[in-house]
Amino acid sequence: MESPIADNLSRVNERIRLAEKRYRRPPGEVRLLAVSKTRSPEEILAAAACGQRHFGENYLQEALEKIARLEGHPLCWHFIGPIQSNKTRAIASHFHWVHSVDRLKIARRLSDQRPSGLPPLDICLQVNISGETSKSGIGLAELPEIARQVAELPRLRLRGLMAIPRRCSDFAQQRLPFRRLREALHALNEAGAGLDTLSMGMSADMEAAIAEGATIVRIGTDIFGPRD
Ligand SMILES: *Cc1c(COP(=O)(O)O)cnc(C)c1O
């Protein structure tokens, strides 16, 4: 059977372009991160063959195997899953971006362990924006101080903020947590942070995230199909 990945990918890219237009975003400002957790190297290559370059992974061991298998392909790897302290060295060594930095200790370790031959690691701070059920993420109250300290770490480049709001199907409701994240980024930039990235929006709420200023949307299901 023909892989549906090429069709799915072009539909997702079309949705992104339409949403950019509708919400008056500069064309091409929203980057698509293809979330490839649980997917095979062959599925990743099918997407890469259509020009997709950025891939997001949640589980370190699985990701390291795929990254090794796909060495030589010009892909950009983003870590987007929960981070335990004992995983930071491998993450700092094998990824280009980390979206899920949710405490200062993890940021310090990533900076200390980023290999000197590589450029600084691009990171986002994960923010707990809607009192969501999963407790991961930095609270809004502590965000400015943590951002200030992370920005000083020499081997990291703090790019922006990431959030995973609670699922909800109403468009207007979907926009609210994304708006709070945008406002948090704006407040940090008013204080001179110079951040350019809002990592927000998944298959079910991508348009709401783009309406509120997403610069990276993280899409799995709508590209690769439902996960088991
Ligand atoms: C799995 C995952 C996604 C993609 O979710 P879909 O609903 O499959 O698009 C995005 N972000 C994070 C952090 C994820 O864990």
Coordinates of all heavy atoms in Angstrom, one line a residue, residues 93-175:
S93 N 24.1 15.8 23.7 CA 25.0 15.4 22.7 C 24.4 15.1 21.3 O 25.1 15.2 20.3 CB 25.7 14.1 23.1 OG 26.4 14.2 24.3
H94 N 23.1 14.8 21.3 CA 22.5 14.2 20.0 C 21.4 15.1 19.5 O 20.9 14.8 18.4 CB 22.0 12.8 20.3 CG 23.1 11.9 20.5 ND1 23.9 11.3 19.5 CD2 23.6 11.3 21.7 CE1 24.8 10.5 20.1 NE2 24.7 10.5 21.4
F95 N 20.9 16.1 20.2 CA 19.8 16.9 19.7 C 20.2 18.3 19.3 O 21.2 18.8 19.9 CB 18.7 16.9 20.7 CG 17.9 15.6 20.8 CD1 18.4 14.6 21.5 CD2 16.7 15.4 20.1 CE1 17.7 13.3 21.6 CE2 16.1 14.3 20.1 CZ 16.6 13.2 20.9
H96 N 19.5 18.9 18.4 CA 19.7 20.3 18.1 C 18.9 21.3 18.9 O 19.3 22.4 19.2 CB 19.3 20.6 16.6 CG 20.1 19.7 15.7 ND1 19.6 18.4 15.3 CD2 21.3 19.8 15.0 CE1 20.5 17.9 14.4 NE2 21.5 18.7 14.3
W97 N 17.7 20.8 19.3 CA 16.8 21.6 20.1 C 16.2 20.8 21.3 O 16.0 19.6 21.1 CB 15.5 22.0 19.3 CG 15.6 23.2 18.4 CD1 16.3 23.2 17.2 CD2 15.0 24.4 18.6 NE1 16.1 24.4 16.6 CE2 15.4 25.2 17.4 CE3 14.2 25.0 19.6 CZ2 14.9 26.5 17.3 CZ3 13.8 26.3 19.4 CH2 14.1 27.1 18.3
V98 N 15.9 21.4 22.4 CA 15.1 20.8 23.5 C 14.0 21.7 23.9 O 14.2 22.9 24.2 CB 16.0 20.5 24.7 CG1 15.2 19.9 25.8 CG2 17.2 19.6 24.3
H99 N 12.7 21.2 23.8 CA 11.6 22.1 24.0 C 11.1 22.0 25.5 O 10.2 22.8 25.9 CB 10.4 21.7 23.1 CG 10.6 22.0 21.7 ND1 9.7 22.6 20.9 CD2 11.7 21.7 20.9 CE1 10.1 22.6 19.6 NE2 11.3 22.1 19.6
S100 N 11.5 21.0 26.2 CA 10.8 20.6 27.4 C 11.7 20.8 28.7 O 11.7 20.0 29.6 CB 10.4 19.1 27.3 OG 11.5 18.3 26.7
V101 N 12.4 21.9 28.7 CA 13.3 22.2 29.8 C 12.3 22.8 30.9 O 11.8 23.9 30.7 CB 14.4 23.2 29.5 CG1 15.2 23.6 30.7 CG2 15.3 22.6 28.4
D102 N 12.2 22.1 32.0 CA 11.1 22.6 33.0 C 11.7 22.9 34.4 O 11.0 23.1 35.3 CB 10.0 21.6 33.1 CG 10.5 20.2 33.6 OD1 11.7 20.0 33.8 OD2 9.6 19.4 33.9
R103 N 13.0 22.9 34.5 CA 13.7 23.3 35.7 C 15.1 23.7 35.5 O 15.7 23.3 34.6 CB 13.5 22.3 36.9 CG 13.9 20.9 36.5 CD 13.2 19.9 37.5 NE 13.9 18.6 37.4 CZ 13.6 17.7 36.5 NH1 12.8 18.0 35.5 NH2 14.2 16.5 36.5
L104 N 15.6 24.6 36.4 CA 16.9 25.2 36.3 C 18.0 24.1 36.3 O 19.0 24.1 35.5 CB 17.1 26.2 37.4 CG 18.4 27.0 37.3 CD1 18.5 27.8 36.0 CD2 18.5 28.0 38.5
K105 N 17.8 23.1 37.1 CA 18.8 22.0 37.3 C 19.0 21.3 35.9 O 20.2 21.0 35.5 CB 18.3 21.0 38.3 CG 19.2 19.8 38.5 CD 18.6 18.8 39.4 CE 19.4 17.5 39.4 NZ 18.7 16.4 40.1
I106 N 18.0 21.1 35.2 CA 18.1 20.4 33.9 C 18.8 21.3 32.9 O 19.7 20.9 32.1 CB 16.7 20.0 33.4 CG1 16.1 19.0 34.2 CG2 16.7 19.6 31.9 CD1 16.8 17.6 34.2
A107 N 18.5 22.6 32.9 CA 19.1 23.6 32.0 C 20.6 23.6 32.3 O 21.5 23.6 31.4 CB 18.5 25.0 32.2
R108 N 21.0 23.7 33.6 CA 22.4 23.7 34.0 C 23.2 22.5 33.4 O 24.3 22.6 32.9 CB 22.6 23.8 35.5 CG 22.2 25.1 36.0 CD 23.0 25.4 37.4 NE 22.7 26.7 37.8 CZ 21.9 27.0 38.9 NH1 21.4 26.0 39.6 NH2 21.7 28.2 39.2
R109 N 22.5 21.3 33.6 CA 23.2 20.1 33.2 C 23.3 20.1 31.7 O 24.4 19.7 31.1 CB 22.4 18.9 33.6 CG 22.5 18.6 35.2 CD 21.6 17.5 35.6 NE 22.1 16.2 35.0 CZ 22.9 15.4 35.7 NH1 23.3 15.7 36.9 NH2 23.3 14.2 35.1
L110 N 22.3 20.5 30.9 CA 22.4 20.5 29.5 C 23.5 21.4 29.0 O 24.3 21.1 28.1 CB 21.1 21.0 28.9 CG 19.9 20.0 29.0 CD1 18.6 20.6 28.5 CD2 20.1 18.7 28.1
S111 N 23.6 22.6 29.7 CA 24.7 23.5 29.3 C 26.1 22.9 29.6 O 27.0 22.9 28.8 CB 24.5 24.8 30.1 OG 25.5 25.8 29.7
D112 N 26.2 22.4 30.8 CA 27.5 21.8 31.2 C 27.9 20.6 30.3 O 29.1 20.4 30.0 CB 27.5 21.2 32.6 CG 27.4 22.3 33.7 OD1 27.7 23.5 33.3 OD2 27.0 22.0 34.8
Q113 N 26.9 19.9 29.8 CA 27.2 18.7 29.0 C 27.1 18.8 27.5 O 27.4 17.9 26.8 CB 26.2 17.6 29.5 CG 26.4 17.2 31.0 CD 25.4 16.3 31.5 OE1 24.3 16.2 31.0 NE2 25.6 15.7 32.7
R114 N 26.8 20.0 27.0 CA 26.8 20.2 25.6 C 28.2 20.1 25.1 O 29.1 20.9 25.5 CB 26.2 21.6 25.3 CG 26.2 22.0 23.8 CD 25.2 21.1 23.1 NE 24.9 21.7 21.7 CZ 24.2 21.0 20.8 NH1 23.7 19.8 21.1 NH2 23.9 21.6 19.6
P115 N 28.5 19.2 24.1 CA 29.9 19.0 23.7 C 30.4 20.3 23.0 O 29.7 21.0 22.3 CB 29.7 17.9 22.6 CG 28.5 17.2 23.0 CD 27.6 18.2 23.5
S116 N 31.7 20.5 23.3 CA 32.3 21.8 22.9 C 32.4 21.9 21.3 O 32.5 23.0 20.8 CB 33.7 22.0 23.5 OG 34.5 20.9 23.1
G117 N 32.4 20.8 20.6 CA 32.4 20.9 19.2 C 31.1 21.3 18.5 O 31.1 21.6 17.3
L118 N 30.1 21.4 19.3 CA 28.7 21.7 18.7 C 28.4 23.1 19.1 O 28.8 23.7 20.1 CB 27.7 20.7 19.3 CG 27.9 19.3 18.9 CD1 26.8 18.4 19.6 CD2 27.8 19.0 17.4
P119 N 27.5 23.8 18.3 CA 27.0 25.1 18.7 C 26.1 25.0 19.9 O 25.7 23.9 20.3 CB 26.2 25.5 17.5 CG 25.8 24.3 16.7 CD 26.9 23.3 17.0
P120 N 25.9 26.1 20.6 CA 25.0 26.1 21.8 C 23.7 25.4 21.4 O 23.2 25.5 20.3 CB 24.8 27.6 22.1 CG 26.0 28.3 21.5 CD 26.4 27.5 20.3
L121 N 23.1 24.7 22.4 CA 21.9 24.0 22.2 C 20.7 25.0 22.3 O 20.6 25.7 23.3 CB 21.8 23.0 23.4 CG 20.6 22.0 23.5 CD1 20.6 21.1 22.2 CD2 20.7 21.2 24.8
D122 N 19.8 24.9 21.3 CA 18.6 25.7 21.3 C 17.6 25.1 22.2 O 17.3 24.0 22.1 CB 18.0 25.8 19.9 CG 18.8 26.7 19.0 OD1 19.1 27.9 19.4 OD2 19.1 26.3 17.8
I123 N 17.1 25.9 23.1 CA 16.1 25.4 24.1 C 14.9 26.3 24.3 O 14.9 27.5 24.1 CB 16.7 25.1 25.5 CG1 17.0 26.4 26.2 CG2 17.9 24.2 25.4 CD1 16.8 26.3 27.7
C124 N 13.8 25.7 24.6 CA 12.6 26.4 25.1 C 12.3 26.0 26.6 O 12.6 24.8 26.9 CB 11.4 26.0 24.3 SG 11.4 26.6 22.6
L125 N 11.8 26.9 27.3 CA 11.3 26.5 28.7 C 9.8 26.1 28.6 O 9.0 26.8 27.9 CB 11.4 27.8 29.6 CG 12.8 28.3 29.8 CD1 12.8 29.5 30.7 CD2 13.7 27.2 30.5
Q126 N 9.6 24.9 29.2 CA 8.2 24.4 29.2 C 7.4 25.1 30.3 O 7.9 25.1 31.5 CB 8.1 22.9 29.3 CG 6.7 22.4 29.2 CD 6.6 20.9 29.2 OE1 7.7 20.2 29.0 NE2 5.5 20.3 29.4
V127 N 6.3 25.7 30.0 CA 5.5 26.5 30.9 C 4.2 25.8 31.2 O 3.6 25.3 30.3 CB 5.3 27.9 30.4 CG1 4.4 28.7 31.4 CG2 6.6 28.6 30.1
N128 N 3.8 25.7 32.5 CA 2.5 25.2 32.9 C 1.5 26.3 32.8 O 1.4 27.1 33.7 CB 2.6 24.6 34.3 CG 1.4 23.8 34.6 OD1 0.3 24.2 34.1 ND2 1.5 22.8 35.5
I129 N 0.8 26.4 31.7 CA 0.0 27.6 31.4 C -1.5 27.5 31.8 O -2.1 28.5 32.0 CB 0.2 27.8 29.9 CG1 0.1 29.3 29.6 CG2 -0.8 27.0 29.0 CD1 1.3 30.1 30.0
S130 N -2.0 26.3 31.9 CA -3.4 26.2 32.2 C -3.7 25.3 33.4 O -4.7 24.7 33.5 CB -4.2 25.7 31.0 OG -3.8 24.4 30.6
G131 N -2.8 25.3 34.4 CA -2.9 24.4 35.5 C -3.3 23.0 35.1 O -4.1 22.4 35.7
E132 N -2.6 22.6 34.0 CA -2.9 21.3 33.4 C -2.7 20.1 34.3 O -2.0 20.2 35.3 CB -2.2 21.1 32.1 CG -0.7 21.4 32.2 CD -0.3 22.5 31.2 OE1 -0.9 23.6 31.3 OE2 0.4 22.2 30.3
T133 N -3.3 19.0 34.0 CA -3.2 17.8 34.8 C -1.8 17.3 35.0 O -1.4 17.0 36.1 CB -4.1 16.7 34.2 OG1 -3.9 16.8 32.8 CG2 -5.6 16.9 34.5
S134 N -1.0 17.3 33.9 CA 0.4 16.9 34.0 C 1.0 18.1 34.7 O 0.8 19.3 34.3 CB 1.0 16.7 32.6 OG 1.7 17.9 32.2
K135 N 1.8 17.8 35.7 CA 2.3 18.9 36.5 C 3.6 19.5 35.9 O 4.2 20.4 36.5 CB 2.6 18.5 38.0 CG 1.3 18.5 38.8 CD 1.1 17.1 39.5 CE 0.5 16.2 38.5 NZ 0.4 14.8 38.7
S136 N 4.1 19.0 34.8 CA 5.3 19.5 34.3 C 5.2 20.9 33.7 O 4.1 21.2 33.2 CB 5.9 18.5 33.2 OG 4.9 18.3 32.3
G137 N 6.2 21.6 33.8 CA 6.2 23.0 33.4 C 6.4 24.0 34.5 O 6.1 23.8 35.6
I138 N 7.1 25.1 34.1 CA 7.4 26.1 35.0 C 6.2 27.0 35.3 O 5.5 27.3 34.3 CB 8.6 26.9 34.5 CG1 9.8 26.1 34.3 CG2 8.8 28.2 35.3 CD1 10.9 26.7 33.4
G139 N 5.9 27.3 36.5 CA 4.7 28.2 36.8 C 5.0 29.6 36.3 O 6.2 30.1 36.3
L140 N 4.0 30.4 36.0 CA 4.2 31.7 35.4 C 4.9 32.6 36.5 O 5.7 33.5 36.1 CB 2.8 32.4 35.1 CG 2.3 31.9 33.7 CD1 0.9 32.6 33.5 CD2 3.2 32.3 32.6
A141 N 4.6 32.4 37.7 CA 5.2 33.3 38.8 C 6.8 33.1 38.8 O 7.5 34.1 39.0 CB 4.6 32.9 40.1
E142 N 7.2 31.9 38.6 CA 8.7 31.7 38.7 C 9.4 31.8 37.4 O 10.6 31.8 37.3 CB 9.0 30.3 39.3 CG 8.1 29.2 38.7 CD 8.3 27.8 39.2 OE1 9.3 27.6 40.0 OE2 7.6 26.9 38.9
L143 N 8.6 32.0 36.3 CA 9.2 32.0 35.0 C 10.3 33.1 34.7 O 11.4 32.8 34.2 CB 8.1 32.1 33.9 CG 8.6 32.2 32.4 CD1 9.4 30.9 32.0 CD2 7.4 32.4 31.5
P144 N 10.0 34.4 35.1 CA 11.0 35.4 34.8 C 12.4 35.1 35.4 O 13.4 35.3 34.8 CB 10.4 36.7 35.4 CG 8.9 36.4 35.4 CD 8.8 34.9 35.7
E145 N 12.4 34.7 36.7 CA 13.6 34.4 37.3 C 14.4 33.3 36.7 O 15.6 33.3 36.5 CB 13.4 34.2 38.8 CG 14.7 33.9 39.6 CD 15.7 35.0 39.6 OE1 15.4 36.2 39.2 OE2 16.9 34.7 39.8
I146 N 13.7 32.2 36.4 CA 14.3 31.0 35.8 C 14.8 31.4 34.4 O 15.9 31.1 34.0 CB 13.3 29.8 35.7 CG1 13.1 29.3 37.2 CG2 13.9 28.7 34.9 CD1 12.2 28.2 37.3
A147 N 14.0 32.2 33.6 CA 14.5 32.6 32.3 C 15.7 33.4 32.4 O 16.7 33.3 31.6 CB 13.4 33.3 31.6
R148 N 15.8 34.3 33.4 CA 17.0 35.1 33.6 C 18.2 34.3 33.8 O 19.3 34.5 33.2 CB 16.7 36.1 34.7 CG 17.7 37.3 34.8 CD 17.5 38.1 36.0 NE 17.7 37.4 37.3 CZ 18.9 37.0 37.7 NH1 20.0 37.2 37.0 NH2 19.0 36.3 38.9
Q149 N 18.1 33.3 34.7 CA 19.2 32.4 35.0 C 19.6 31.5 33.8 O 20.8 31.3 33.6 CB 18.9 31.6 36.2 CG 18.7 32.5 37.5 CD 18.8 31.7 38.8 OE1 19.7 30.9 39.0 NE2 17.8 31.9 39.6
V150 N 18.6 31.0 33.1 CA 18.9 30.1 32.0 C 19.6 30.9 30.9 O 20.5 30.4 30.2 CB 17.6 29.4 31.5 CG1 17.9 28.7 30.1 CG2 17.1 28.4 32.5
A151 N 19.2 32.1 30.7 CA 19.8 33.0 29.6 C 21.3 33.2 29.8 O 22.0 33.4 28.9 CB 19.1 34.3 29.5
E152 N 21.8 33.0 31.1 CA 23.2 33.2 31.3 C 24.0 31.9 31.1 O 25.3 32.0 31.2 CB 23.4 33.7 32.8 CG 22.9 35.2 32.9 CD 22.9 35.7 34.3 OE1 23.4 34.9 35.2 OE2 22.5 36.8 34.5
L153 N 23.4 30.8 30.9 CA 24.2 29.6 30.7 C 24.9 29.6 29.4 O 24.3 29.8 28.4 CB 23.2 28.4 30.9 CG 22.6 28.2 32.3 CD1 21.5 27.1 32.3 CD2 23.6 28.0 33.3
P154 N 26.2 29.3 29.4 CA 27.0 29.6 28.2 C 26.7 28.7 27.0 O 26.9 29.1 25.9 CB 28.4 29.4 28.7 CG 28.3 28.6 29.9 CD 27.0 28.9 30.5
R155 N 26.3 27.4 27.3 CA 26.2 26.5 26.2 C 24.8 26.3 25.7 O 24.5 25.3 25.0 CB 26.9 25.2 26.5 CG 28.4 25.3 26.9 CD 29.2 25.7 25.7 NE 29.2 24.5 24.7 CZ 29.1 24.7 23.4 NH1 29.0 25.9 22.9 NH2 29.1 23.6 22.7
L156 N 23.9 27.1 26.2 CA 22.5 27.1 25.8 C 22.1 28.4 25.1 O 22.7 29.4 25.4 CB 21.5 26.9 26.9 CG 21.7 25.7 27.8 CD1 20.6 25.7 28.9 CD2 21.7 24.4 27.0
R157 N 21.2 28.3 24.1 CA 20.6 29.5 23.6 C 19.1 29.5 23.9 O 18.4 28.6 23.3 CB 20.8 29.6 22.1 CG 20.7 30.9 21.5 CD 21.6 31.1 20.2 NE 21.2 30.2 19.1 CZ 20.6 30.7 18.0 NH1 20.4 32.0 17.9 NH2 20.2 29.9 17.1
L158 N 18.7 30.3 24.8 CA 17.2 30.3 25.2 C 16.5 31.0 24.0 O 16.6 32.2 23.8 CB 17.0 31.1 26.5 CG 15.6 31.2 26.9 CD1 14.9 29.8 27.1 CD2 15.5 32.0 28.2
R159 N 15.6 30.2 23.4 CA 14.9 30.7 22.2 C 13.4 31.1 22.5 O 12.9 31.9 21.8 CB 14.9 29.6 21.1 CG 16.3 29.2 20.6 CD 16.9 30.4 19.8 NE 16.1 30.7 18.7 CZ 16.3 30.2 17.4 NH1 17.2 29.3 17.2 NH2 15.5 30.5 16.4
G160 N 12.8 30.4 23.5 CA 11.4 30.8 23.8 C 10.7 29.9 24.7 O 11.4 29.3 25.6
L161 N 9.4 29.7 24.5 CA 8.6 29.0 25.5 C 7.8 27.9 24.8 O 7.4 28.0 23.6 CB 7.6 30.0 26.2 CG 8.2 31.2 26.9 CD1 7.1 32.1 27.4 CD2 9.2 30.8 28.0
M162 N 7.5 26.9 25.5 CA 6.7 25.8 25.0 C 5.6 25.4 26.0 O 5.8 25.6 27.2 CB 7.6 24.6 24.8 CG 6.9 23.3 24.3 SD 6.3 22.2 25.6 CE 6.8 20.6 25.0
A163 N 4.4 25.0 25.5 CA 3.4 24.5 26.4 C 2.5 23.4 25.8 O 2.5 23.3 24.6 CB 2.4 25.7 26.8
I164 N 2.0 22.6 26.6 CA 1.0 21.5 26.2 C -0.3 21.7 27.0 O -0.4 21.1 28.1 CB 1.6 20.1 26.5 CG1 3.1 20.0 26.1 CG2 0.7 19.0 25.9 CD1 3.7 18.7 26.5
P165 N -1.2 22.5 26.5 CA -2.4 22.8 27.3 C -3.3 21.5 27.4 O -3.1 20.6 26.6 CB -3.1 23.9 26.5 CG -2.2 24.4 25.6 CD -1.2 23.3 25.3
R166 N -4.2 21.5 28.3 CA -5.2 20.5 28.4 C -6.0 20.4 27.1 O -6.3 21.4 26.5 CB -6.1 20.8 29.6 CG -6.9 19.6 30.0 CD -8.0 20.0 31.1 NE -7.3 20.4 32.4 CZ -7.4 21.6 32.9 NH1 -8.1 22.6 32.3 NH2 -6.9 21.9 34.1
R167 N -6.3 19.2 26.7 CA -7.1 19.0 25.5 C -8.5 19.7 25.6 O -9.1 19.6 26.7 CB -7.4 17.5 25.3 CG -6.3 16.8 24.5 CD -6.7 15.3 24.3 NE -5.7 14.7 23.5 CZ -5.8 14.8 22.1 NH1 -6.8 15.5 21.5 NH2 -4.9 14.3 21.4
C168 N -8.9 20.3 24.6 CA -10.3 20.8 24.6 C -10.7 21.1 23.1 O -9.8 21.3 22.3 CB -10.4 22.0 25.4 SG -10.6 23.6 24.7
S169 N -12.0 20.9 22.8 CA -12.3 21.0 21.3 C -12.9 22.3 20.9 O -13.0 22.5 19.7 CB -13.4 19.9 21.1 OG -14.4 20.0 21.9
D170 N -13.2 23.2 21.8 CA -13.7 24.5 21.4 C -12.6 25.5 21.0 O -11.7 25.7 21.8 CB -14.5 25.1 22.6 CG -15.1 26.4 22.2 OD1 -16.1 26.5 21.4 OD2 -14.6 27.5 22.7
F171 N -12.7 26.0 19.8 CA -11.6 26.9 19.3 C -11.3 28.1 20.2 O -10.2 28.3 20.5 CB -12.0 27.3 17.8 CG -10.9 28.1 17.2 CD1 -9.8 27.4 16.6 CD2 -11.0 29.5 17.0 CE1 -8.8 28.1 16.0 CE2 -10.0 30.2 16.4 CZ -8.9 29.5 15.8
A172 N -12.4 28.8 20.6 CA -12.1 30.0 21.4 C -11.4 29.6 22.7 O -10.5 30.3 23.2 CB -13.4 30.7 21.7
Q173 N -11.9 28.4 23.3 CA -11.2 27.9 24.5 C -9.8 27.5 24.3 O -8.9 27.7 25.2 CB -12.0 26.8 25.1 CG -13.4 27.1 25.6 CD -13.4 28.0 26.8 OE1 -12.5 27.8 27.7 NE2 -14.3 28.9 26.9
Q174 N -9.6 26.9 23.1 CA -8.2 26.5 22.8 C -7.2 27.7 22.8 O -6.1 27.5 23.2 CB -8.2 25.8 21.5 CG -8.7 24.4 21.4 CD -8.7 23.8 20.0 OE1 -8.5 24.5 19.0 NE2 -9.0 22.5 19.9
R175 N -7.7 28.8 22.3 CA -6.9 30.0 22.2 C -6.4 30.5 23.5 O -5.3 31.1 23.6 CB -7.6 31.1 21.4 CG -7.7 30.7 19.9 CD -8.3 31.8 19.1 NE -7.5 33.1 19.1 CZ -7.7 34.0 18.1 NH1 -8.5 33.8 17.1 NH2 -6.9 35.1 18.1

